[in-house]
Amino acid sequence: MHSPENPFARDPHLCSDHAGEGPSIWSLPGLPDALRREWLALETRRHFLGRGMQAFGWAGLASLLGRPLAAQTAASPAVLAPHYAPRAKRAIYLFMAGSPSQFETWDHKPVLQRMFDQDLPESVRGGQVLTGMTASQARFPIAPSVYKFAQHGQAGHWVSELFPHTARIADELCVLKSLHTEAINHEPAILQLTTGNMFPGRPSLGSWLSYGLGAVNDELPTFVVMTSKMPHRTNVQALSNRLWSSGFLSPEHAAVALRSAGDPVLHLNNPPGVSGDVRRAMIDGVNALNRQLFERVGDAETNARIAQYEMAFRMQSSVPELADLSSEPQSTWDLYGEKAKEPGTYAYNCLMARRLAERGVRFTQIFLRSWDQHSNLPRNIKLMAEESDQPTAALVTDLKRRGLLDDTLVVWGGEFGRTCYSQGVLTAENYGRDHHPRCFSMWMAGGGVKPGLSFGETDDFSYNIVKDPVHIRDLHATMLHLFGLDHNRLSFRFQGLDQRLTGVLPAKVIDAILA
Amino acid sequence: MPSSPELSRVRRRLALALLLATAPLGAETTFYQDRIGPILERHCVVCHGPEKQKAGLRLDSFAWVMKGAESGAMVLPGNAAGSELHRRITLPATDEEVMPSEGKPLLSREEIRNVELWILGGASATKLVAEFPGAPAIGRPKAAAVALAPDWRPRADEIRRLEAELGVRLVPRSQQPGDGLILRTAGSPRRADDAALARLDPVAELIVEAELARTPVTDAGLAAVGRWTNLRSLDLSRAKVSGSGIAALAGLSRLEALNLTDSAVDAGGIERARALPALRRLWAFGAPGMAAAEARP
């Protein structure tokens, strides 16, 4: 190493990130003992997971046996078997970012038809602070849905005419009409749904599942995110990886985001002239260096990095197979529509979600944006519904006919609700709706939820909840429960706290929606 | 086919029946096992158990309870009033020191009385339920879980060896050892071939779920599967099995769910599957047998 050609040889501290020469946790003076222990716990758990393949399954067995694992400490449960037998093995979360209005989708409010352009009674609003976008409006004129509703299936769900395909799977759906949140703007609201907290930096739901349950298929990531092309663009929210990051959990629990155009994963193919063997040798070499680094410095991130090199290598063969749709029968295209052949469309992503579910990926989150209809709602929500209705229904139908819906939880919804009054000018054909955190609708299907159930009720204005409120924490607690995890017990010691997805405020599993 | 609520009702009834058939009705069970353990499990072990040990205290076994906390013994046999554990569960809800903490639901009067009588009776591990005639019955929210398979833990070494040799995974379905194992192959489906399945005989009765989708398993491999007598759920989607192979599953009297999607199973095979006594859910999308059934007028 100390050849004269090596420019770093003279000064090992040349770069600040030349970590190999930096201090280790053991040599840092004045560090409180508790912090050292927490760090050790973090480090050992990560080290443990970093061993890859067999480690995952065995982690569960070994810790259940009460066998003293070198890696196990009180702060790192390392228990990968669920607390109780799960109903769901995987979930597909269809995130309708921007928030579709409940009035044109799932919360049928016939009373409003007779109240067109009347003022929202002050008693309903109850002095609520509004967003800056409508607070200055002189009036709050009631805007009934221009779209009609009809009851569908034995369940008798009221479904808007915008969703004819989804209406046909009504009996599979458990519709929740009483979600509520504190967040009134998109980013915090989306974060609260994806990570349980309005502030960035927390692990997302998929990361918690990966941490708590490990992988089903080590050839693919445990948590996958896909963003979708939009049929039109208005008020589009930025999506960033903090929505699917692993926060304080080890980086291997973060989602892998599949790209919506071109290769699903960049630089996955070996460059021309580089054979698989050469690639393998290179990764082995890098890993050996990383292991040496870890021995010396003990930084857990190093092990996460090793795990990620290995995952990338395995994905070189698993992702092309995943993305090769040539073996799909005609019935697939009949079901999802021809658009499913075009990478990056919502329809394509729904089909990919089924293929990921078949291959054991635990959590797939698809984002479809541009539901934020502050104006021109009737026109724009129709575009969005046309883009998404058929593929959404196709996904549920496809999972069901292939026997996957039983243990795959499908969730559909945005981040908050919208107002019953018009934002901006109200006419017979046109209006907009502002953000509304006090109530919104979602649906779930499969994975151990009661099919055909409608849960929760709002008042005639879908302004306040009158029955069975469901906070996002309750939704999360329920989702974890379906995966066999107790949200109180799935925790990770960080900054002196046993951190949980559901945080410290009360959260409950919604027993009434469990099948 | 019955819907899933019906299924869970059937399961519950079954669970109850088994419970009635096997529970010795207090004759042999110890009071600790029957009453105290479950009370502590329900209210305390979240914070005082394998995952968290608040105040250095574990309450998930008799030995741990008697060992006490960092600060010393929590149970003084014969002396309920002097036992810290008893004091903590009898404090008013508003007291900072009440257990369970964090505003979790407090113990019922009956539960407290059971703990009290147990301490007064010497905090014994061995005294039987029958020796506490004055102990009030406690509500049992859930029927005791029925074991789906024998405890796999004594065979952990063997399980680990098989995992390493065969490239499949045998993971516990949950932290309840009686929930059995999942045979998991999604990571390397090609390794789960007929020969590999045949070598799983040593753990045959531990396998409760078998995920064999996309594996090269053929009818020959199903002979081995037919010996997994505790199997509840079997996924053979895209496996190379045909209708005649299903005959080998005839002895799986507990099999509830069978997935034959995109397999080569014909109409005869589907008939055979339908004849399985416990089967409630069957999928055969894309299998020739299903296409034949759909073509029928």
Side-chain angles (χ1 to χ4, degrees):
Chain A
M1 283 304 273
H2 289 265
S3 69
E5 290 84 18
N6 184 346
F8 301 109
R10 269 167 292 132
D11 182 2
H13 297 282
L14 203 64
C15 324
S16 59
D17 61 355
H18 194 44
E21 308 297 333
S24 91
I25 192 86
W26 311 116
S27 57
L28 284 177
L31 208 59
D33 247 19
L35 210 61
R36 261 185 234 263
R37 271 200 305 275
E38 181 180 311
W39 195 89
L40 177 67
L42 201 72
E43 183 264 309
T44 45
R45 171 158 174 93
R46 287 173 173 181
H47 178 58
F48 183 63
L49 289 174
R51 284 194 292 128
M53 305 275 281
Q54 298 301 325
F56 286 106
W58 194 244
L61 285 179
S63 58
L64 284 170
L65 276 169
R67 194 179 284 165
L69 277 171
Q72 221 178 319
T73 71
S76 63
V79 171
L80 291 177
H83 299 120
Y84 27 79
R87 287 300 311 267
K89 286 182 182 170
R90 354 169 173 75
I92 298 170
Y93 195 130
L94 308 172
F95 202 115
M96 301 295 124
S99 290
S101 153
Q102 70 272 35
F103 296 93
E104 281 75 14
T105 57
W106 296 102
D107 207 8
H108 179 40
K109 291 297 164 193
V111 177
L112 299 186
Q113 295 296 337
R114 301 193 298 271
M115 300 184 74
F116 176 79
D117 204 22
Q118 291 180 21
D119 288 310
L120 172 68
E122 181 52 44
S123 60
V124 173
R125 210 178 101 193
Q128 187 195 12
V129 177
L130 304 177
T131 74
M133 291 174 281
T134 48
S136 58
Q137 278 187 202
R139 291 186 58 221
F140 300 105
I142 285 173
S145 166
V146 294
Y147 295 106
K148 295 188 178 52
F149 279 70
Q151 281 184 293
H152 289 273
Q154 300 208 307
H157 283 311
W158 287 98
V159 189
S160 147
E161 62 181 330
L162 289 171
F163 298 91
H165 290 91
T166 311
R168 263 176 248 141
I169 55 156
D171 284 337
E172 304 302 332
L173 308 182
C174 174
V175 182
L176 311 176
K177 296 181 178 162
S178 53
L179 266 294
H180 63 108
T181 172
E182 289 82 31
I184 198 163
N185 273 314
H186 297 284
E187 178 77 2
I190 297 176
L191 271 169
Q192 192 164 10
L193 269 154
T194 52
T195 73
N197 199 293
M198 282 194 248
F199 294 95
R202 308 295 169 119
S204 37
L205 179 54
S207 303
W208 279 110
L209 290 173
S210 169
Y211 161 72
L213 299 170
V216 172
N217 180 352
D218 309 292
E219 305 292 307
L220 284 170
T222 310
F223 175 18
V224 169
V225 160
M226 292 181 282
T227 55
S228 315
K229 291 178 182 164
M230 291 164 266
H232 82 113
R233 303 173 64 98
T234 19
N235 305 332
V236 175
Q237 275 63 57
L239 297 178
S240 66
N241 60 5
R242 57 190 182 193
L243 302 178
W244 51 85
S245 96
S246 57
F248 42 73
L249 300 175
S250 182
E252 64 258 34
H253 301 303
V256 168
L258 298 186
R259 282 155 35 90
S260 58
D263 286 343
V265 180
L266 275 184
H267 312 307
L268 203 56
N269 296 327
N270 292 329
V274 175
S275 71
D277 292 345
V278 169
R279 171 71 67 156
R280 181 70 253 180
M282 186 203 94
I283 290 173
D284 287 343
V286 172
N287 285 351
L289 288 173
N290 275 332
R291 259 178 233 114
Q292 281 177 21
L293 182 65
F294 178 76
E295 308 277 284
R296 273 159 75 196
V297 189
D299 183 350
E301 301 293 324
T302 312
N303 278 320
R305 179 59 65 92
I306 294 172
Q308 280 162 327
Y309 271 111
E310 290 293 343
M311 173 57 76
F313 183 75
R314 295 196 295 270
M315 280 167 64
Q316 286 197 304
S317 55
S318 61
V319 169
E321 191 273 336
L322 168 77
D324 175 10
L325 304 181
S326 60
S327 62
E328 287 293 339
Q330 183 54 38
S331 62
T332 296
W333 312 114
D334 296 343
L335 190 63
Y336 289 83
E338 286 296 311
K339 253 192 165 172
K341 290 182 175 165
E342 186 190 329
T345 59
Y346 177 74
Y348 174 90
N349 288 346
C350 284
L351 174 56
M352 287 296 274
R354 187 263 281 161
R355 293 175 64 87
L356 289 163
E358 284 178 308
R359 286 158 182 76
V361 168
R362 286 237 186 246
F363 194 66
T364 300
Q365 196 154 28
I366 299 177
F367 288 91
L368 176 61
R369 295 178 287 168
S370 207
W371 291 95
D372 188 22
Q373 286 121 13
H374 290 275
S375 58
N376 295 322
L377 183 143
R379 171 181 164 271
N380 290 343
I381 199 170
K382 187 156 188 285
L383 293 174
M384 296 303 290
E386 282 167 357
E387 180 76 6
S388 60
D389 175 40
Q390 182 181 353
T392 302
L395 174 60
V396 173
T397 306
D398 203 11
L399 291 172
K400 186 174 164 89
R401 70 186 183 183
R402 290 172 186 276
L404 291 162
L405 190 61
D406 251 30
D407 48 19
T408 306
L409 176 68
V410 183
V411 181
W412 181 100
E415 64 269 26
F416 41 53
R418 307 202 76 93
T419 55
C420 64
Y421 58 82
S422 179
Q423 173 173 356
V425 178
L426 169 70
T427 70
E429 302 83 38
N430 202 5
Y431 49 87
R433 298 190 191 278
D434 198 1
H435 307 169
H436 185 68
R438 286 199 193 174
C439 56
F440 62 109
S441 303
M442 295 180 75
W443 60 252
M444 303 206 235
V449 295
K450 258 188 201 144
L453 182 78
S454 172
F455 187 78
E457 281 172 33
T458 58
D459 62 15
D460 285 344
F461 303 86
S462 192
Y463 204 99
N464 296 299
I465 294 167
V466 296
K467 192 169 167 227
D468 295 329
V470 178
H471 193 274
I472 291 164
R473 286 186 295 276
D474 305 331
L475 177 76
H476 285 158
T478 308
M479 288 179 73
L480 290 184
H481 177 88
L482 291 167
F483 275 91
L485 295 168
D486 176 346
H487 71 99
N488 280 315
R489 283 196 272 168
L490 183 68
S491 63
F492 185 85
R493 174 62 62 91
F494 179 67
Q495 292 181 340
L497 272 181
D498 289 327
Q499 310 269 355
R500 306 189 292 227
L501 172 64
T502 48
V504 294
L505 293 168
K508 59 179 184 306
V509 174
I510 320 281
D511 286 321
I513 70 166
L514 305 179
Chain B
M1 240 178 277
S3 64
S4 35
E6 237 172 281
L7 176 59
S8 59
R9 224 176 301 132
V10 171
R11 272 211 206 99
R12 247 179 279 135
R13 232 178 283 143
L14 186 75
L16 194 66
L18 280 175
L19 195 71
L20 292 177
T22 54
L25 290 177
E28 238 103 281
T29 354
T30 68
F31 190 72
Y32 183 85
Q33 264 175 3
D34 190 65
R35 302 288 174 88
I36 306 304
I39 292 173
L40 300 178
E41 174 66 38
R42 193 176 315 149
H43 295 282
C44 321
V45 168
V46 192
C47 299
H48 300 287
E51 287 164 36
K52 296 178 193 168
Q53 299 88 31
K54 300 289 183 183
L57 176 64
R58 283 180 72 153
L59 297 172
D60 52 325
S61 73
F62 176 80
W64 283 118
V65 172
M66 300 315 288
K67 184 164 181 287
E70 269 159 18
S71 63
M74 295 291 120
V75 173
L76 309 178
N79 180 359
S83 294
E84 179 67 6
L85 187 144
H86 182 265
R87 188 181 76 84
R88 293 291 191 123
I89 60 175
T90 48
L91 289 167
T94 48
D95 194 295
E96 266 198 353
E97 295 199 319
V98 70
M99 288 292 143
S101 70
E102 289 185 16
K104 298 203 190 306
L106 300 186
L107 273 60
S108 70
R109 206 174 306 153
E110 292 75 26
E111 287 171 326
I112 293 176
R113 182 72 183 144
N114 274 273
V115 174
E116 194 169 75
L117 289 172
W118 172 69
I119 299 178
L120 288 172
S124 154
T126 51
K127 276 196 177 177
L128 304 181
V129 176
E131 296 176 60
F132 294 85
I138 50 171
R140 283 169 206 272
K142 286 180 205 134
V146 180
L148 304 181
D151 190 343
W152 50 265
R153 290 174 298 182
R155 280 185 269 171
D157 286 335
E158 182 140 46
I159 291 167
R160 175 156 50 176
R161 186 178 55 75
L162 287 169
E163 282 191 313
E165 287 175 13
L166 305 179
V168 300
R169 282 165 47 190
L170 291 159
V171 291
R173 288 182 66 241
S174 81
Q175 294 179 20
Q176 308 299 320
D179 278 343
L181 303 178
I182 306 177
L183 170 61
R184 184 152 275 174
T185 64
S188 47
R190 255 156 284 148
R191 291 192 64 182
D193 55 13
D194 294 344
L197 298 195
R199 291 185 52 201
L200 288 169
D201 277 353
V203 292
E205 79 278 23
L206 302 182
I207 301 174
V208 167
E209 271 181 63
E211 300 174 342
L212 297 174
R214 319 169 71 77
T215 59
V217 170
T218 72
D219 292 346
L222 292 187
V225 177
R227 295 191 288 272
W228 303 346
T229 50
N230 282 317
L231 201 62
R232 302 313 201 268
S233 158
L234 174 59
D235 186 356
L236 291 168
S237 327
R238 294 203 193 176
K240 307 279 175 280
V241 296
S242 79
S244 49
I246 302 300
L249 306 180
L252 296 179
S253 60
R254 299 189 166 101
L255 192 68
E256 294 174 9
L258 176 59
N259 195 340
L260 302 172
T261 299
D262 284 335
S263 69
V265 172
D266 60 9
I270 289 180
E271 278 316 302
R272 259 165 242 137
R274 289 219 167 102
L276 288 165
L279 200 75
R280 312 209 190 283
R281 285 161 297 159
L282 174 68
W283 297 276
F285 176 74
M290 197 62 177
E294 275 166 4
R296 256 184 271 153

